[in-house]
């Protein structure tokens, strides 16, 4: 394949701080005037075999805490705040907070619902500071009831990720899904290189400011086989345009979830997912391709005002760059409360 020398232009920045401030004001202004409020809290203990998602894995235990609250200024508008914090068995922590405003309306004589969401988020990570960023996003979703057993969903997302620190190419996990801690190697010169390629020149490892613009389109179809069995099939297409050229990629994936209720107040969920990432540019003009396979199993028990969940997640990421290949298993159990 001939070398690709085209460098995409950096995406135009959006006024992140202004929209974040507007959402903060909207949240606090309506929290006291809203007629309806609800919230939820979660505390989870777990074990992660590879929290940094590197070829040289280091396992860690963690405590995960999440809180969400929402108010309803009107029947069609929801304003909320979601946040979570994860502390590992060291001094490392990862945290994320997001403000969002949702507007929804019924269509097709009540058979469809359209939802528009404006959100702003802050992600902080002492485990891998290179991944710290602020985000602004616009999401649009449409759900439609096809039959008594079938539902179709279509979603679109536009998300800008403004990284706080100058970073090296591929300093984070593959893809842009938060949270994305980075490998421990500080630069390419210290990372293993393919035997047939020389190490990249020093000029190519200069840390640069990074801004990503992620666009994604998703489809999901839900079918209820019975009152206690349902399945969901998903399809996603996406593209990330980055000011750091090697971080620009396209992705597509397919997934499925099977949900069962084996007994009253018990739910069992089985999931499978496959995703392919194709990066536009790479060092020495070598093409990079990543294939990710994931599986999960979760068991939930509902109580009067709470629920308990245990789950196991497995991820295998195979890349033609050996140093970007890794595996990860996460086991966790936690309690959820609604109020």
């Amino acid at each position: 394949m001939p070398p690709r020398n085209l460098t995409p232009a950096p995406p135009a920045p959006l006024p992140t701080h202004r929209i974040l401030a507007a959402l903060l004001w909207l949240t606090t202004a309506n929290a006291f005037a809203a007629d309806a409020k609800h919230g939820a809290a979660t505390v989870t203990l777990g074990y992660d075999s590879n929290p940094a998602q590197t070829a040289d894995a280091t396992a860690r235990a963690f405590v995960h805490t999440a809180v969400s609250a929402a108010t309803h200024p009107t029947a069609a508008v929801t304003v909320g705040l979601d946040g979570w914090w994860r502390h590992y068995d060291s001094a490392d922590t990862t945290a994320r907070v997001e403000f969002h405003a949702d507007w929804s309306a019924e269509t097709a004589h009540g058979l469809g619902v359209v939802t528009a969401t404006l959100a702003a988020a802050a992600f902080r990570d002492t485990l891998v500071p290179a991944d710290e960023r602020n985000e602004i996003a616009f999401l649009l979703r449409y759900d439609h009831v096809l039959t008594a057993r079938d539902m179709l969903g279509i979603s679109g997302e536009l998300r800008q990720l403004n990284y706080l620190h100058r970073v090296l190419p591929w300093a984070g996990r593959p893809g842009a899904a938060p949270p994305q801690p980075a490998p421990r190697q500080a630069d390419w010169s210290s990372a293993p290189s393919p035997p047939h390629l020389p190490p990249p020149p020093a000029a190519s490892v200069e840390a640069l400011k990074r801004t990503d613009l992620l666009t994604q389109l998703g489809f999901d179809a839900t079918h209820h086989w019975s009152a206690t069995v349902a399945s969901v099939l998903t399809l996603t297409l996406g593209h990330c345009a980055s000011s750091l050229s090697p971080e620009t990629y396209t992705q597509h994936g397919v997934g499925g979830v099977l949900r069962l209720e084996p007994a009253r107040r018990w739910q069992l969920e089985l999931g499978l997912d496959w995703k392919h990432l194709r990066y536009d540019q790479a060092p020495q003009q070598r093409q990079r391709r990543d294939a990710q396979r994931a599986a999960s199993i979760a068991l939930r028990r509902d109580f009067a005002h709470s629920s308990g969940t245990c789950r196991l997640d497995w991820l295998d990421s195979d890349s033609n760059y050996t140093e970007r290949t890794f595996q990860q298993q996460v086991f966790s159990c936690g309690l959820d409360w609604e109020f």
Side-chain angles (χ1 to χ4, degrees):
M1 180 176 294
R4 302 184 63 178
N5 297 318
L6 297 179
T7 301
L14 298 175
T16 307
H17 63 286
R18 295 183 181 179
I19 299 179
L20 180 60
L23 285 175
L24 176 59
W25 176 86
L26 190 58
T27 302
T28 55
N30 288 285
F32 300 99
D35 294 331
K37 308 180 182 70
H38 70 267
T42 302
V43 177
T44 303
L45 301 178
Y47 182 82
D48 193 333
S49 69
N50 191 359
Q53 293 190 344
T54 63
D56 183 17
T58 300
R60 292 183 177 180
F62 64 84
V63 178
H64 183 98
T65 305
V67 178
S68 63
T71 65
H72 302 277
T74 68
V77 177
T78 301
V79 180
L81 170 65
D82 303 315
W84 59 260
W85 171 83
R86 177 171 292 192
H87 180 74
Y88 295 94
D89 58 358
S90 64
D92 294 318
T93 60
T94 302
R96 178 182 174 85
V97 61
E98 179 180 274
F99 296 97
H100 61 88
D102 309 317
W103 173 87
S104 60
E106 292 185 355
T107 62
H109 305 288
L111 294 178
V113 176
V114 59
T115 304
T117 300
L118 183 63
F123 174 72
R124 300 295 181 263
D125 185 4
T126 62
L127 179 66
V128 186
D131 229 24
E132 296 187 324
R133 59 186 179 265
N134 295 325
E135 303 176 17
I136 187 72
F138 175 74
L139 302 92
L140 189 64
R141 179 173 176 85
Y142 179 70
D143 293 285
H144 190 86
V145 177
L146 299 175
T147 68
R149 292 177 178 266
D150 299 284
M151 176 177 290
L152 177 66
I154 304 174
S155 61
E157 176 181 353
L158 177 64
R159 182 178 297 270
Q160 180 169 293
L161 301 92
N162 300 313
Y163 288 82
L164 302 184
H165 312 292
R166 291 180 176 272
V167 295
L168 301 171
W170 300 346
R173 295 182 183 182
Q180 299 287 358
R184 287 181 292 175
Q185 285 90 353
D187 54 53
W188 293 346
S189 61
S190 63
S193 300
H196 60 283
L197 290 178
S204 67
V205 299
E206 179 184 359
L208 300 172
K209 189 68 176 178
R210 177 183 174 187
T211 300
D212 290 0
L213 186 62
L214 179 65
T215 55
Q216 186 164 284
L217 182 64
F219 304 89
D220 56 86
T222 302
H223 178 72
H224 292 269
W225 301 91
S226 68
T228 59
V229 180
S231 62
V232 182
L233 180 64
T234 61
L235 175 66
T236 57
L237 305 170
H239 181 263
C240 178
S242 179
S243 59
L244 204 57
S245 299
E247 294 285 357
T248 297
Y249 65 87
T250 57
Q251 69 174 29
H252 55 271
V254 62
V257 175
L258 180 64
R259 295 170 180 161
L260 309 169
E261 294 184 20
R264 184 173 179 269
R265 298 189 174 222
W266 288 89
Q267 293 89 38
L268 177 64
E269 183 174 287
L270 307 173
L272 292 173
D273 187 73
W274 177 86
K275 182 169 64 173
H276 182 265
L277 293 88
R278 183 183 65 189
Y279 289 81
D280 287 4
Q281 295 189 12
Q284 306 294 322
Q285 301 298 327
R286 181 187 176 196
Q287 297 298 308
R288 176 185 171 186
R289 302 287 186 269
D290 290 4
Q292 297 185 348
R293 296 169 291 273
S296 64
I297 179 172
L299 182 64
R300 172 172 170 165
R301 172 66 159 87
D302 291 331
F303 304 99
H305 301 287
S306 63
S307 63
T309 302
C310 286
R311 64 178 298 123
L312 176 64
D313 295 276
W314 172 84
L315 174 64
D316 176 75
S317 184
D318 185 21
S319 176
N320 61 334
Y321 275 72
T322 306
E323 61 273 20
R324 302 300 165 184
T325 297
F326 67 89
Q327 285 192 348
Q328 180 185 31
Q329 299 85 38
V330 182
F331 176 74
S332 62
C333 285
L335 292 175
D336 306 303
W337 296 271
E338 293 186 359
F339 51 89

